[in-house]
Amino acid sequence: MAERSQTAPEAGNDTGNDDAIGGNVSKYMVLPTGYCGQPKKGHLIFDACFESGNLGRVEQVSEFEYDLFIRPDTCNPRFRVWFNFTVENVKESQRVIFNIVNFSKTKSLYRDGMAPMVKSTSRPKWQRLPPKNVYYYRCPDHKKNYVMSFAFCFDREEDIYQFAYCYPYTYTRFQHYLDSLQKRNMDYFFREQLGQSVQQRQLDLLTITSPDNLREGAEQKVVFITGRVHPGETPSSFVCQGIIDFLVSQHPIARVLREHLVFKIAPMLNPDGVYLGNYRCSLMGFDLNRHWLDPSPWAHPTLHGVKQLIIQMYNDPKTSLEFYIDIHAHSTMMNGFMYGNIFEDEERFQRQAIFPKLLCQNAEDFSYSSTSFNRDAVKAGTGRRFLGGLLDHTSYCYTLEVSFYSYIVGGTTAAVPYTEEAYMKLGRNVARTFLDYYRLNPLVEKVAVPVPRLRKEKPPPYKHPFVRGSASNYPNGKGDKKSSVNYKDPSNPF
């Protein structure tokens, strides 16, 4: 049995030997110490050289036990949370213990019953490992860092097994999803490329609304939604897909919402980070959600493009930017919940609480008690904080968080693990809540039997050309924006 090197204990989770991790393992076969013969079944082969993969190094501790090191985010060694790798060349009934040894966070839902995801060639549907096989603890053999260990038994020799921190949602999957929507040729769905990432991946912008709302001179109430600024927060993409699927459907509520609102959705703000298998950062090591104040067109091009569009709409007197919602996933809390801003104006502060209260009524997994309003200095560069300070009193900016693990249904203490479908259901409920917020419920009954309409010719998704240039060139004032467009009923419906 190979012994781990014993080092003096240190507090917290430092990088340890992570400076030796230069990339993902590629078809890396682990042979027993001193073994010189031909590789055999049971000599595991690890691989993470695929889209959204992450595994930086493997060390065999004993015949049955392996230490696994997460590859840090590209150009930023601080973040080590997301993992996604395959194991092959297994032997039937082979039992192993895998230790993920270099998490950058100490707090984790693994303390509360969360378990890694697994699938295999013959069982392609992701499922969680049994929590009884997962352990999260401070390990003296790793400088008292927190380690997540899980026991697993391989049962089919020909299968390739894949393990991940949470349900993966890749850039390629996202592109296929948008392609399938485009092929439906819906006259209320528009897709455009707002820009490109550093590695030339698409920054997609979706517009979902009735074509009448896009005609020249039409007044627009806009709901702007973004997701996946932190690439490892994959639940964000499932929630976002739930929102989109509902809004393009023929459900009577969706049809009413399209008639009255313009939904602008940028579902993947960090396509490079998603592709590379980073947890929090872009290709160049930037946490994009700390750079809203002054995004660089060359270092943060996707963020720069979205910010420019938002400011353009903000300065358009015909457009009322009513909501900005940025979707994230949370690694230490249960349920879905929101972060909002703090305002000196008490009435504005109270109005801001209306949407999350309504969402709490519509979604059993959304917790209003976990929702909080703050102006933490650490969050000053986030989309919620920046836009909350820029936009006027008629606009509301939120971060929507959803647990990586589970939610607790009211009146119980049992944690219900999230599935891909449950994340998408939360997205559908977010979309439905706009009906309650704008008090459009009476209109739903009047909606006729749906007749799908096809788009013969694709009009531009936004009625003004995209303006490039520094955001600092735009004034903060909104000019003579019509109060009738901006008006919201301030009364609390509760």
Side-chain angles (χ1 to χ4, degrees), residues 325-371:
I325 300 176
D326 189 26
I327 307 175
H328 289 251
H330 207 282
S331 64
T332 62
M333 293 182 66
M334 306 284 200
N335 300 94
F337 58 95
M338 279 180 155
Y339 292 125
N341 296 314
I342 289 178
F343 304 107
E344 302 301 330
D345 180 351
E346 179 64 22
E347 183 189 20
R348 184 182 184 189
F349 181 75
Q350 293 297 331
R351 287 202 310 264
Q352 183 189 216
I354 294 174
F355 187 86
K357 285 180 178 178
L358 289 170
L359 180 55
C360 187
Q361 292 181 352
N362 289 334
E364 67 174 1
D365 57 320
F366 185 85
S367 169
Y368 184 75
S369 62
S370 296
T371 293

Side-chain angles (χ1 to χ4, degrees), residues 247-425:
L247 290 176
V248 302
S249 74
Q250 287 300 326
H251 194 289
I253 292 176
R255 299 181 70 206
V256 169
L257 291 176
R258 292 196 298 265
E259 293 296 323
H260 289 81
L261 298 169
V262 177
F263 291 89
K264 296 278 184 180
I265 306 176
M268 194 170 280
L269 289 184
N270 192 347
D272 289 349
V274 170
Y275 188 89
L276 293 167
N278 286 353
Y279 175 64
R280 194 172 181 90
C281 295
S282 66
L283 166 75
M284 299 170 69
F286 293 110
D287 179 348
L288 296 182
N289 205 37
R290 295 298 183 271
H291 288 274
W292 276 88
L293 293 172
D294 189 25
S296 159
W298 64 271
H300 325 109
T302 56
L303 202 63
H304 181 266
V306 169
K307 179 180 174 180
Q308 290 293 93
L309 177 61
I310 289 175
I311 292 177
Q312 178 190 349
M313 291 191 296
Y314 170 68
N315 287 304
D316 179 356
K318 292 285 188 180
T319 301
S320 174
L321 187 51
E322 308 258 305
F323 281 89
Y324 171 76
I325 300 176
D326 189 26
I327 307 175
H328 289 251
H330 207 282
S331 64
T332 62
M333 293 182 66
M334 306 284 200
N335 300 94
F337 58 95
M338 279 180 155
Y339 292 125
N341 296 314
I342 289 178
F343 304 107
E344 302 301 330
D345 180 351
E346 179 64 22
E347 183 189 20
R348 184 182 184 189
F349 181 75
Q350 293 297 331
R351 287 202 310 264
Q352 183 189 216
I354 294 174
F355 187 86
K357 285 180 178 178
L358 289 170
L359 180 55
C360 187
Q361 292 181 352
N362 289 334
E364 67 174 1
D365 57 320
F366 185 85
S367 169
Y368 184 75
S369 62
S370 296
T371 293
S372 64
F373 304 91
N374 62 67
R375 48 181 165 205
D376 183 350
V378 177
K379 306 290 182 68
T382 65
R384 167 181 65 87
R385 284 290 308 281
F386 169 74
L387 294 172
L390 171 73
L391 305 177
D392 67 17
H393 68 280
T394 66
S395 304
Y396 301 106
C397 301
Y398 306 93
T399 299
L400 172 62
E401 297 273 4
V402 61
S403 175
F404 271 111
Y405 171 38
S406 68
Y407 59 95
I408 298 175
V409 179
T412 73
T413 57
V416 181
Y418 271 107
T419 61
E420 294 181 14
E421 169 57 27
Y423 285 130
M424 289 191 274
K425 182 179 179 181

Side-chain angles (χ1 to χ4, degrees), residues 144-213:
K144 291 191 176 179
N145 285 351
Y146 279 85
V147 170
M148 186 272 290
S149 297
F150 61 95
F152 191 79
C153 181
F154 298 107
D155 60 347
R156 299 184 186 180
E157 291 194 353
E158 302 310 314
D159 270 15
I160 298 174
Y161 293 78
Q162 186 171 351
F163 300 91
Y165 180 82
C166 191
Y167 302 98
Y169 195 113
T170 64
Y171 172 78
T172 298
R173 172 175 176 168
F174 172 58
Q175 290 300 311
H176 288 327
Y177 169 64
L178 295 187
D179 290 344
S180 69
L181 289 178
Q182 266 192 301
K183 289 176 183 176
R184 290 165 59 182
N185 205 30
M186 299 169 285
D187 72 340
Y188 45 79
F189 173 85
F190 309 99
R191 176 188 183 186
E192 65 177 312
Q193 183 175 313
L194 188 57
Q196 288 186 318
S197 66
V198 173
Q199 289 187 314
Q200 306 299 299
R201 293 186 179 89
Q202 286 187 199
L203 170 60
D204 288 283
L205 176 71
L206 312 180
T207 303
I208 303 172
T209 190
S210 165
D212 291 342
N213 294 326

Side-chain angles (χ1 to χ4, degrees), residues 122-142:
S122 63
R123 289 153 295 188
K125 184 178 176 62
W126 286 102
Q127 52 187 297
R128 293 186 188 275
L129 293 173
K132 64 183 177 65
N133 293 352
V134 180
Y135 309 88
Y136 188 73
Y137 56 99
R138 280 189 101 163
C139 180
D141 289 338
H142 289 282

